[in-house]
């Protein structure tokens, strides 16, 4: 099918459970957990082709795999108006930034 969209929230939930995020301040974050999206909106994808690469330690499990598959929205035709490849570019404001601080 044709990639209509990839829903970010299911991806974030699975990655969070694998250790990529915090539930509260001070919780550890595993820097080895992450994901690479291998497809884009409007791309044609055949059964068996990879669309996501997940980096993690431990076990993803059947439920996590199902959640990730549910994040991929396919359709029988290309999307009518695929989003632009770059939605917005943010540049420095011109003033030199101060030192980075942890959130309070």
């Amino acid at each position: 099918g044709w990639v209509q969209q990839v829903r970010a929230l299911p991806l974030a939930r699975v990655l969070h459970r694998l250790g990529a995020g915090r539930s509260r301040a001070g919780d550890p974050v595993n820097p080895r957990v992450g994901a690479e999206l291998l497809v884009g909106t409007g791309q044609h994808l055949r059964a068996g082709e990879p669309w996501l690469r997940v980096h993690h330690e431990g076990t993803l499990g059947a439920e996590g795999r199902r959640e990730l598959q549910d994040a991929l929205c396919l359709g029988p035709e290309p999307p009518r108006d695929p989003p632009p490849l770059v939605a917005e570019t943010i540049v420095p404001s011109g003033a030199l930034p101060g030192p980075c601080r942890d959130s309070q």
Side-chain angles (χ1 to χ4, degrees):
W2 296 87
V3 178
Q4 304 296 312
Q5 68 174 326
V6 177
R7 297 177 22 229
L9 188 56
L11 296 179
R13 286 181 178 148
V14 171
L15 293 171
H16 183 268
R17 285 196 309 268
L18 291 171
R22 294 183 173 116
S23 295
R24 42 188 106 81
D27 283 353
V29 173
N30 186 340
R32 293 177 294 271
V33 174
E36 296 174 66
L37 191 57
L38 305 175
V39 299
T41 301
Q43 184 173 336
H44 188 260
L45 196 59
R46 296 186 198 297
E49 283 186 284
W51 67 273
L52 181 70
R53 182 177 296 129
V54 179
H55 302 271
H56 63 93
E57 299 173 330
T59 304
L60 181 57
E63 181 180 342
R65 288 178 185 279
R66 182 191 51 75
E67 288 178 81
L68 293 176
Q69 289 295 356
D70 289 347
L72 178 66
C73 301
L74 298 176
E77 298 179 11
R80 291 182 190 248
D81 298 314
L85 293 178
V86 178
E88 184 176 356
T89 303
I90 300 174
V91 297
S93 63
L96 292 175
C100 294
R101 293 182 213 94
D102 287 337
S103 299
Q104 299 296 336

